[in-house]
């Protein structure tokens, strides 16, 4: 049995070790290091100085970061979503696509859930963007997620990272490939990570987010995809009941 095949089962300890436990440990380690060494502020200040910032982020409204990556990236994600929905619709008319229908449903629901969960988090967790903070020319004080404090007078709505969720959500392509062509699963993962990193780095350069915001967004996206993969591909479906008459006939 191939390694990929041995991972693709709900009863396999290897599957849960590599897809649940390992990502969870990596997430906890990353968040702990960021909090322990104050990496949000340290990296933010380094980027701010690198850009030559004084009372604002010079790249906040730059054409590359704002128009190309922020606006253009958002349009790309919408286009990808429309493409998945179109293929899903065509799967009811094209026999060649019918076998991918469940995967297309998985892909759409996973991406949508990731984006919505991040949006929900932004509504409940009132952390500021770097550009709101006094140390970067704004008016708000800095509070970490684990401080239990926030500035009631600040706009907030900056955690987790909303824009990069449109990129990281596509780590779901890893599971899509795992279901249909496991040898391509790393290409799917690479696409989602590259898109999320591109969006995330651009937003950090604009002063919109700290690195921890992106770590949380990636984690939400991964576990959203894992949950939908389990629900649609791994969970055992109940076997249809056999009527007494059919049972007697079989006997």
């Amino acid at each position: 049995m191939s390694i990929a095949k041995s991972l693709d089962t709900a009863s396999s300890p290897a599957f849960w070790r590599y897809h649940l436990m390992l990502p969870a440990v990596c997430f906890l380690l990353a968040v702990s290091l960021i909090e322990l060494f104050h990496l949000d502020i340290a990296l933010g200040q380094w980027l701010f100085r690198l850009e030559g910032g004084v009372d604002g982020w010079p790249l906040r409204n730059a054409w590359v970061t704002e128009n190309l990556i922020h606006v253009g990236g958002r349009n790309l994600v919408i286009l990808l979503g429309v493409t998945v929905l179109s293929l899903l619709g065509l799967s009811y008319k094209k026999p060649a696509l019918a076998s991918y229908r469940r995967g297309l449903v998985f892909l759409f629901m996973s991406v949508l859930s990731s984006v919505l969960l991040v949006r929900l988090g932004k509504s409940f967790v009132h952390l500021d963007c770097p550009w709101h903070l006094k140390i970067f020319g704004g008016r708000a004080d800095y509070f970490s997620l684990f401080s239990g404090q926030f500035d009631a007078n600040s706009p907030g709505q900056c955690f987790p990272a909303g824009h990069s969720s449109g990129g990281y959500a596509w780590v779901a392509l890893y599971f899509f490939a795992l279901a249909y062509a496991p040898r391509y699963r790393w290409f799917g993962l690479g696409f989602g990570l590259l898109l999320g990193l591109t969006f995330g780095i651009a937003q950090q350069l604009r002063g919109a987010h700290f690195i921890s915001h992106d770590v949380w967004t990636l984690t939400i996206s991964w576990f959203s995809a894992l949950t939908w993969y389990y629900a649609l591909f791994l969970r055992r479906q109940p076997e249809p009941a056999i009527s007494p008459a059919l049972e007697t006939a079989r006997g």
Side-chain angles (χ1 to χ4, degrees):
M1 181 180 292
S2 67
I3 295 175
K5 192 65 177 177
S6 67
L7 294 177
D8 192 16
T9 169
S11 62
S12 169
F15 177 85
W16 296 111
R17 183 165 61 248
Y18 289 115
H19 296 90
L20 176 63
M21 298 304 298
L22 182 59
V25 169
C26 290
F27 164 70
L28 292 173
L29 181 61
V31 168
S32 298
L33 290 174
I34 290 171
E35 187 70 13
L36 180 63
F37 294 103
H38 309 289
L39 295 182
D40 274 346
I41 290 296
L43 180 59
Q45 289 179 319
W46 179 74
L47 291 175
F48 192 69
R49 291 193 298 268
L50 187 66
E51 295 177 26
V54 177
D55 56 0
W57 292 78
L59 294 181
R60 179 172 180 174
N61 297 310
W63 183 85
V64 172
T65 54
E66 167 64 14
N67 298 89
L68 179 63
I69 301 179
H70 189 226
V71 177
R74 181 179 60 208
N75 293 338
L76 173 62
V77 171
I78 292 173
L79 177 62
L80 290 173
V82 171
T83 300
V84 172
L85 277 179
S86 300
L87 290 172
L88 181 58
L90 285 173
S91 71
Y92 290 93
K93 296 183 178 181
K94 303 289 185 180
L97 292 174
S99 60
Y100 295 98
R101 187 176 303 146
R102 181 179 298 189
L104 292 168
V105 170
F106 154 77
L107 201 55
F108 180 75
M109 293 305 300
S110 178
V111 170
L112 181 63
S113 296
S114 298
V115 173
L116 290 180
L117 284 171
V118 169
R119 177 66 259 179
L120 188 64
K122 289 165 73 71
S123 299
F124 284 97
V125 183
H126 296 281
L127 290 184
D128 291 295
C129 302
W131 61 40
H132 292 145
L133 303 179
K134 293 176 181 177
I135 56 176
F136 298 119
R139 298 182 178 181
D141 293 312
Y142 169 75
F143 297 104
S144 76
L145 175 66
F146 299 102
S147 69
Q149 299 176 285
F150 63 92
D151 190 338
N153 296 317
S154 67
Q157 297 284 316
C158 293
F159 176 91
H163 184 55
S164 66
S165 69
Y168 285 128
W170 294 96
V171 297
L173 286 168
Y174 170 91
F175 293 99
F176 181 88
L178 188 62
Y180 293 99
R183 65 185 180 278
Y184 295 117
R185 66 193 188 279
W186 300 116
F187 291 101
L189 179 62
F191 178 81
L193 290 177
L194 180 60
L195 199 60
L197 277 171
T198 301
F199 292 171
I201 291 173
Q203 288 296 82
Q204 289 178 49
L205 290 172
R206 296 181 67 233
H209 291 290
F210 288 119
I211 188 173
S212 66
H213 301 185
D214 291 283
V215 170
W216 279 87
T217 294
L218 172 58
T219 303
I220 290 170
S221 298
W222 176 265
F223 285 110
S224 172
L226 178 62
T227 301
W228 280 106
Y229 182 75
Y230 171 77
L232 293 177
F233 288 102
L234 297 186
R235 189 177 60 181
R236 292 182 179 275
Q237 299 297 324
E239 295 183 2
I242 301 176
S243 66
L246 182 56
E247 187 68 34
T248 301
R250 285 184 174 180

